[in-house]
Amino acid sequence: SVICISNIRIVGTAYDINILANARQEGIKAAYKMPVSIAGGYAFDFENGGCLYIAAEHFFALKEYNILMPRNDYFIRPDTGDINKGSTTQLKMKDAHKAVTNFAMVLSVPVKKNVMGFLSARTDFNYSDDKVFRDDEGYLPNIGSWDIYHFQMGVNVKKRKFNLRAGVLTSYGHTKNQEQSVNFDNPNEGNFLLGDTGKTSTTHFTIGAMFSYIYNL
């Protein structure tokens, strides 16, 4: 990781700031943790051959931990004067999960002989929450904290030797509280490199085509 700041002047003073932070550590093991979860579901069968599937899964909270923790070594250069070891804590990667519950529902209905139509929806609620972190040092693995909703629709053609499935899938998410990493709407000497950051609106939308072919031996 490299951080370089050159010729930044503090407002109201005659001092310029020049910092070079350069570190590379190899052989650091990554440790990922997954929260404990419980899930359940139920299927309702209709007389016409259709079915309604409902499922839910609850993920318990996970306390803050370090995915990557660098060794305690010099990071800010030069490594003289008041610069101490331990500044590498800024390079750690940390994670934490808040408790969430996700839901899924699928409806399948016969369209005609050997053709089944289906419609599904599921939630992908985000586990990220800035309030669960103890401090601001380090990097976070997630790039977003908004909830996403997924939808699918299509048909499945079933024959004696194969299944052919085709459909369309979409995903949508929106938040008005996405934290900005930088904001250069009003750059000046007083806000240095990051500008005046705050919260902004973010929208996630994807659409795709689904096609699968399964051959029965």
Side-chain angles (χ1 to χ4, degrees), residues 124-161:
D124 186 7
F125 295 143
N126 197 285
Y127 64 81
S128 176
D129 188 353
D130 295 338
K131 297 178 181 180
V132 301
F133 292 109
R134 295 190 299 267
D135 56 67
D136 294 330
E137 288 190 343
Y139 295 92
L140 305 180
N142 60 292
I143 61 174
S145 56
W146 55 88
D147 300 330
I148 300 178
Y149 301 85
H150 302 272
F151 306 92
Q152 295 184 20
M153 63 179 301
V155 295
N156 183 83
V157 180
K158 183 178 181 180
K159 297 293 185 179
R160 186 176 67 88
K161 279 294 186 178

Side-chain angles (χ1 to χ4, degrees), residues 44-52 107-112 115-116:
F44 300 89
D45 294 320
F46 302 122
E47 294 181 357
N48 63 353
C51 191
L52 176 64
L107 175 65
S108 63
V109 292
V111 178
K112 60 181 181 179
V115 178
M116 185 71 72

